[in-house]
């Protein structure tokens, strides 16, 4: 597996290039770029990844399409658009996927690999985040999803300048934190999330570094990496291993005890 720090995939102007993974696809002997990769919780040794507009699996170096489209440059793509992350739900083995292009959350059923809309109206037009039940809630540009772990079994996500929670029991969406910025900084959006087993939340924000939140959603501290906060957070949560440049060891040591 090779690693690089800039993605060539099309993305919203709100989002800077993020780390991608270059994987030597043994079935085609070519390099394939993935935006997000995670071990399958049901099949040890198998990886799930986002490639182009698709969810794929990687088994023994071979890449297999599960659902979606690869090697396409058209919009709208089906059954989902430019996806940025996913989470694997442990209570029903389904997958939630952040459809960044369409501004909604997709539900993927493992048995049939069918795709449906879990929350949001999947409209390409720019939307502002709106809380409510999963039918009425709206998303601006959902980016990263993370299981809430020690807090609850719910799902957290970054959405523009918001961190939001999907309550899997009550089937509702609420905003747990909103970052207020000057108008010229409206694109300094939240990107990646890390939630520890104890419920501590770390989030990266474009040009604003790593944000650390208390259990009551108070902003406790901000560490500003020199290089790429997203890359650093990927390393911290174990998605993949690449060097991360930070201002000081203190910025990253607090995550590693």
């Amino acid at each position: 597996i090779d690693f690089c720090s800039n993605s060539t995939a099309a993305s919203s102007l709100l989002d800077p290039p993020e780390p991608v993974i270059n994987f030597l696809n043994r079935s085609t002997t070519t390099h394939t770029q993935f935006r997000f990769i995670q071990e399958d919780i049901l099949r040890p040794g198998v990886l799930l990844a986002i490639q182009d507009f698709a969810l794929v699996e990687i088994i023994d170096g071979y890449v297999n399409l599960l659902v979606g489209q690869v090697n396409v440059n058209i919009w709208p793509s089906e059954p989902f658009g430019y996806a940025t992350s996913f989470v694997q739900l442990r209570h029903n083995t389904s997958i939630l996927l952040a459809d960044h292009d369409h501004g909604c959350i997709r539900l993927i059923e493992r048995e049939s690999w069918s795709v449906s809309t879990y929350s949001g109206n999947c409209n390409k037009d720019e939307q502002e985040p709106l809380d409510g039940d999963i039918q009425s809630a709206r998303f601006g540009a959902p980016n990263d999803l993370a299981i809430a772990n020690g807090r609850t079994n719910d799902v957290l996500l970054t959405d523009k300048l918001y961190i939001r929670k999907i309550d899997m029991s009550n089937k509702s969406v609420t905003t747990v934190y909103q970052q207020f910025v000057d108008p010229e900084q409206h694109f300094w959006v939240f990107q990646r999330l890390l939630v520890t087993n104890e419920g501590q939340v770390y989030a990266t924000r474009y040009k604003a570094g790593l944000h650390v939140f208390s259990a009551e959603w108070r902003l406790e501290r901000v560490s500003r990496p020199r290089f790429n906060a997203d890359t650093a957070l990927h390393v911290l949560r174990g998605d993949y291993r690449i060097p991360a440049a930070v201002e000081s060891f203190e910025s990253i040591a607090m995550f590693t005890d």
Side-chain angles (χ1 to χ4, degrees):
I1 302 179
D2 301 321
F3 302 105
C4 66
S5 59
N6 289 305
S7 172
T8 57
S11 176
S12 165
L13 292 177
L14 289 176
D15 301 309
E18 62 179 74
V20 298
I21 298 178
N22 285 334
F23 189 89
L24 182 60
N25 185 347
R26 289 168 57 183
S27 60
T28 62
T29 65
T30 61
H31 279 79
T32 301
Q33 287 191 339
F34 301 120
R35 287 191 301 278
F36 190 86
I37 190 167
Q38 195 176 88
E39 186 173 17
D40 192 330
I41 63 174
L42 299 181
R43 298 177 294 169
V46 176
L47 300 177
L48 299 176
I50 295 173
Q51 177 192 352
D52 296 335
F53 300 93
L55 181 68
V56 301
E57 64 181 4
I58 306 169
I59 303 176
D60 295 330
Y62 291 89
V63 181
N64 305 311
L65 176 68
L66 296 174
V67 61
Q69 297 175 295
V70 295
N71 300 321
V72 295
N73 294 306
I74 59 173
W75 196 96
S77 59
E78 296 294 341
F80 50 81
Y82 180 83
T84 46
S85 69
F86 59 83
V87 291
Q88 302 172 70
L89 303 178
R90 295 182 182 274
H91 66 282
N92 64 5
T93 72
S94 300
I95 294 173
L96 289 184
L97 179 142
D99 190 336
H100 184 89
D101 255 356
H102 297 89
C104 60
I105 306 299
R106 304 286 193 175
L107 177 69
I108 300 176
E109 301 288 355
R110 281 180 180 264
E111 291 185 359
S112 60
W113 294 111
S114 60
V115 179
S116 61
T117 300
Y118 182 78
S119 186
N121 67 354
C122 296
N123 190 335
K124 175 63 176 178
D125 295 336
E126 189 79 7
Q127 305 174 92
E128 286 303 314
L130 177 68
D131 292 346
D133 58 43
I134 59 172
Q135 284 79 29
S136 61
R138 296 293 179 264
F139 301 88
N143 202 334
D144 201 16
L145 299 169
I147 301 294
N149 291 336
R151 292 169 181 254
T152 63
N153 289 321
D154 300 325
V155 174
L156 298 176
L157 72 143
T158 53
D159 186 8
K160 292 188 173 181
L161 292 169
Y162 301 77
I163 298 177
R164 310 181 72 191
K165 181 182 76 171
I166 301 175
D167 189 315
M168 303 302 294
S169 300
N170 297 331
K171 306 223 178 281
S172 62
V173 180
T174 56
T175 296
V176 295
Y177 184 83
Q178 180 179 359
Q179 180 72 46
F180 295 95
V181 299
D182 295 332
E184 63 271 16
Q185 297 178 347
H186 72 279
F187 57 90
W188 290 22
V189 297
F190 283 112
Q191 296 174 303
R192 293 300 179 189
L193 276 174
L194 167 71
V195 186
T196 68
N197 290 332
E198 294 74 30
Q200 186 85 61
V201 176
Y202 305 97
T204 63
R205 193 160 66 86
Y206 178 50
K207 291 189 176 182
L210 289 164
H211 292 52
V212 184
F213 295 94
S214 70
E216 295 76 27
W217 289 106
R218 291 193 303 268
L219 182 60
E220 291 185 337
R221 73 182 282 182
V222 177
S223 299
R224 300 177 181 273
R226 292 197 313 266
F227 174 53
N228 188 319
D230 282 356
T231 299
L233 196 57
H234 274 294
V235 173
L236 296 173
R237 70 181 186 181
D239 286 346
Y240 48 84
R241 304 291 178 181
I242 51 180
V246 293
E247 284 185 350
S248 67
F249 286 111
E250 181 186 6
S251 300
I252 198 167
M254 61 181 177
F255 304 102
T256 58
D257 55 0

